[in-house]
């Protein structure tokens, strides 16, 4: 990811990726020490490296940056039987954007470089105030890239426009403040290949830049980029480590990196247009979709090899705004769950079935360690409080959007019927 500027604090971390398959081999089982150059790492004293075997992520490693180099201790790769290659169906990539041509340009460059045989890119220009997005799309002149205009503001409206415009059954969604890993769509395809009932695949979203305190705090706050274990979630098989499943939607992934089977998404009502950035609710449309996929009896796969690198908000004001948006969106989604009879009943069943586990989850949440001082010193102390208190604004925000928008744009999503 192209740096947004120089590092702004002593703990700034340079981000890199290392493919073990590209290194010289050594004796079986022997540890290896490798010293690698860290280009463009001026001012950084440490690095975070995603170690991978081809497109398969293995783990993250921390290393010091000394005189422009970093040194890593690497175990030799274990020999494993080669996996059968996953089918590579055609995929539609939907990128929703609004008046951010510079970010869009960078994201499109990474999407153009994807290692995948058959894909298209649908850029949804959502309620634009300028022609910047149209100019960027024209500038690329790539027949795989086309622009769709959606005048109704809101990320869910934009995502629905992308679903309608997509030429292929598998539709992958991302944002404009990202860099797509070259193997992203291969990971998406692998996720769908895990089981016939998989309707949604969520990928990994590691931090692409950690040069500011705000980015470091956000990196500590979210878990999108930490999970490197493939999993398949189903309502009929509640995972023991998620006592509030299927309501712990943040454990699966985020809206910057997921894919849906278009027909199944339409059958459960597509995206609820009361939710998402650009509306009073400010978020929650991705959480709502993940939850409704599971509640409808489908499977959701978490696929770590589907990687999108994300640029977190780099300053305190943007971080506070994002925290508020997450809180309001979560509150709006929880309100929707409470107002939907079948989902409310599901919540009561989960509470009755796992009352002990729910209590332990609450205790664990209450005892979560505070962020380290190095990522809070210099930031507003109200960031965490802002997110929690903003949840209380969710019900009113949902009510406002329910009054503002035609019922046909959200009633199907609430009831799970085809629009």
């Amino acid at each position: 990811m192209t740096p947004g500027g120089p590092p702004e604090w002593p703990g700034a971390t340079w981000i890199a990726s290392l493919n073990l398959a590209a290194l010289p081999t050594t004796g079986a089982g022997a540890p290896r020490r490798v010293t690698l150059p860290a280009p463009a790492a001026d001012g950084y004293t440490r690095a975070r490296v995603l170690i991978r075997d081809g497109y398969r992520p293995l783990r993250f490693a921390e290393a010091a940056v000394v005189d422009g180099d970093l040194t890593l201790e690497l175990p030799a790769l274990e020999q494993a039987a080669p996996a059968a290659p996953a089918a590579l169906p055609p995929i539609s990539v939907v990128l929703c954007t609004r008046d951010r041509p510079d970010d869009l340009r960078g994201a499109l460059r990474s999407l153009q470089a994807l290692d995948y045989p058959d894909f298209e890119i649908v850029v949804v220009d959502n309620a634009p105030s300028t022609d910047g997005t149209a100019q960027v799309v024209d500038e690329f002149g790539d027949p795989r890239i086309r622009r769709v205009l959606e005048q109704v503001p809101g990320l869910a409206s934009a995502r629905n426009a992308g679903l309608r415009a997509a030429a292929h059954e598998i539709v992958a969604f991302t944002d404009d403040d990202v860099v797509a890993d070259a193997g992203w769509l291969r990971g998406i395809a692998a996720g769908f290949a895990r089981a016939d009932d998989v309707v949604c695949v969520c990928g990994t979203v590691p931090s692409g830049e950690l040069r500011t305190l705000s980015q470091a705090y956000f990196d500590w706050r979210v878990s999108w980029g930490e999970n490197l274990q493939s999993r398949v979630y189903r309502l009929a098989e509640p995972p023991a480590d998620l006592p509030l499943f299927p309501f712990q939607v943040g454990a699966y992934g985020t809206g910057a990196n997921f894919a849906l089977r278009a027909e199944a998404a339409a059958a459960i009502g597509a995206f609820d247009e009361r939710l998402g950035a650009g509306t009073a609710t400010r978020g929650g449309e991705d959480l709502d979709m993940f939850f409704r996929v599971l509640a409808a009896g489908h499977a959701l796969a978490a696929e770590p090899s589907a990687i999108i690198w994300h640029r977190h908000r780099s300053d305190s004001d943007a971080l506070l705004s994002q925290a508020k948006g997450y809180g309001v969106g979560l509150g709006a989604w929880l309100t929707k769950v409470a107002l939907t009879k079948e989902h409310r009943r599901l919540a009561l069943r989960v509470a009755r079935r796992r009352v002990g586990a729910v209590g332990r989850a609450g205790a664990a949440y209450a005892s979560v360690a505070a962020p380290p001082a190095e990522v809070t010193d210099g930031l507003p102390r109200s960031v965490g409080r802002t997110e929690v208190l903003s949840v209380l604004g969710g019900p009113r925000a949902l009510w406002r959007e329910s009054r503002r928008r035609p019922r046909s744009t959200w009633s199907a999503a609430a009831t799970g019927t085809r629009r």
Side-chain angles (χ1 to χ4, degrees):
M1 181 169 281
T2 303
E8 296 183 3
W9 65 299
T13 302
W14 186 71
I15 305 297
S17 176
L18 173 64
N19 183 3
L20 295 185
L23 296 177
T25 58
T26 60
R32 292 174 294 177
R33 170 178 285 196
V34 294
T35 299
L36 305 167
D42 291 346
Y44 289 89
T45 59
R46 60 187 183 186
R48 177 186 297 173
V49 182
L50 175 60
I51 300 174
R52 59 208 301 174
D53 177 19
Y55 288 134
R56 180 169 63 99
L58 302 176
R59 64 182 176 91
F60 288 96
E62 303 287 331
V65 177
V66 180
D67 296 329
D69 292 331
L70 59 93
T71 300
L72 294 172
E73 299 285 347
L74 301 174
L77 277 175
E78 296 181 2
Q79 296 299 316
L88 299 178
I91 295 179
S92 295
V93 175
V94 171
L95 189 162
C96 302
T97 187
R98 185 180 190 183
D99 295 338
R100 300 206 296 191
D102 291 338
D103 288 338
L104 174 63
R105 188 176 288 108
L108 286 178
R109 287 195 189 108
S110 71
L111 292 173
Q112 275 189 310
L114 290 172
D115 177 16
Y116 202 79
D118 188 359
F119 67 97
E120 65 166 358
I121 302 168
V122 179
V123 177
V124 181
D125 195 359
N126 187 212
S129 61
T130 74
D131 64 351
T133 295
Q135 289 186 20
V136 169
V137 171
D138 290 343
E139 168 189 315
F140 275 82
D142 188 330
R144 297 173 300 177
I145 304 174
R146 56 193 170 96
R147 170 180 166 267
V148 171
L149 178 64
E150 173 52 61
Q151 291 285 18
V152 177
L155 186 50
S157 298
R159 294 199 196 278
N160 281 339
L163 269 178
R164 291 190 296 269
H168 305 307
E169 170 62 11
I170 293 179
V171 184
F173 293 89
T174 192
D175 296 335
D176 57 13
D177 54 353
V178 307
V179 168
D181 195 77
W184 175 46
L185 292 186
R186 289 181 177 269
I188 293 293
F192 281 108
R194 294 196 176 277
D196 291 340
D197 59 342
V198 171
V199 159
C200 179
V201 173
C202 292
T204 302
V205 187
S207 300
E209 182 179 76
L210 291 174
R211 64 179 184 85
T212 74
L213 275 171
S214 295
Q215 291 173 330
Y217 177 87
F218 194 83
D219 177 73
W220 170 86
R221 164 67 180 77
V222 301
S223 60
W224 306 335
E226 297 175 358
N227 182 23
L228 297 181
Q229 177 185 1
S230 299
R231 301 183 69 171
V232 177
Y233 297 96
R234 295 181 180 86
L235 189 63
E237 303 168 355
D241 60 331
L242 296 178
L244 298 182
F245 178 85
F247 296 95
Q248 287 170 268
V249 284
Y252 318 138
T254 183
N257 183 5
F258 72 103
L260 296 166
R261 292 195 181 276
E263 184 175 351
I268 62 173
F271 293 92
D272 187 334
E273 296 185 5
R274 297 173 298 175
L275 302 173
T279 71
T281 60
R282 303 186 62 170
E285 88 296 335
D286 50 351
L287 307 182
D288 180 61
M289 177 57 77
F290 301 159
F291 169 74
R292 286 191 290 118
V293 163
L294 290 166
H298 302 299
L300 181 152
E303 180 50 57
S305 64
I307 298 173
I308 289 284
W309 300 89
H310 187 262
R311 191 190 303 276
H312 305 321
R313 302 297 186 264
S314 60
D315 62 79
S316 297
D317 290 343
L319 179 64
L320 279 168
S321 177
Q322 190 168 41
K324 183 174 182 180
Y326 281 178
V328 174
L330 176 60
W333 173 67
L334 291 173
T335 302
K336 177 184 173 181
V337 169
L339 294 176
T340 305
K341 183 184 295 184
E342 61 191 74
H343 297 162
R344 186 169 63 245
R345 287 175 175 170
L346 176 58
L348 291 173
R349 288 201 302 271
V350 169
R352 292 192 191 103
R353 183 179 70 240
R354 311 192 72 176
V355 62
V358 169
R360 290 192 297 275
Y365 180 80
S367 63
V368 167
E374 69 170 356
V375 300
T376 56
D377 290 346
L379 287 179
R381 296 185 178 275
S382 59
V383 174
R385 184 170 67 250
T386 294
E387 182 171 357
V388 172
L389 294 178
S390 295
V391 173
L392 301 176
R396 177 172 175 77
L398 185 68
W399 175 78
R400 285 177 58 191
E401 289 299 330
S402 298
R403 287 176 57 88
R404 178 182 302 167
R405 294 172 183 268
R407 187 175 181 86
S408 61
T409 67
W410 55 265
S411 59
T415 60
T417 56
R418 185 185 295 272
R419 289 176 58 177

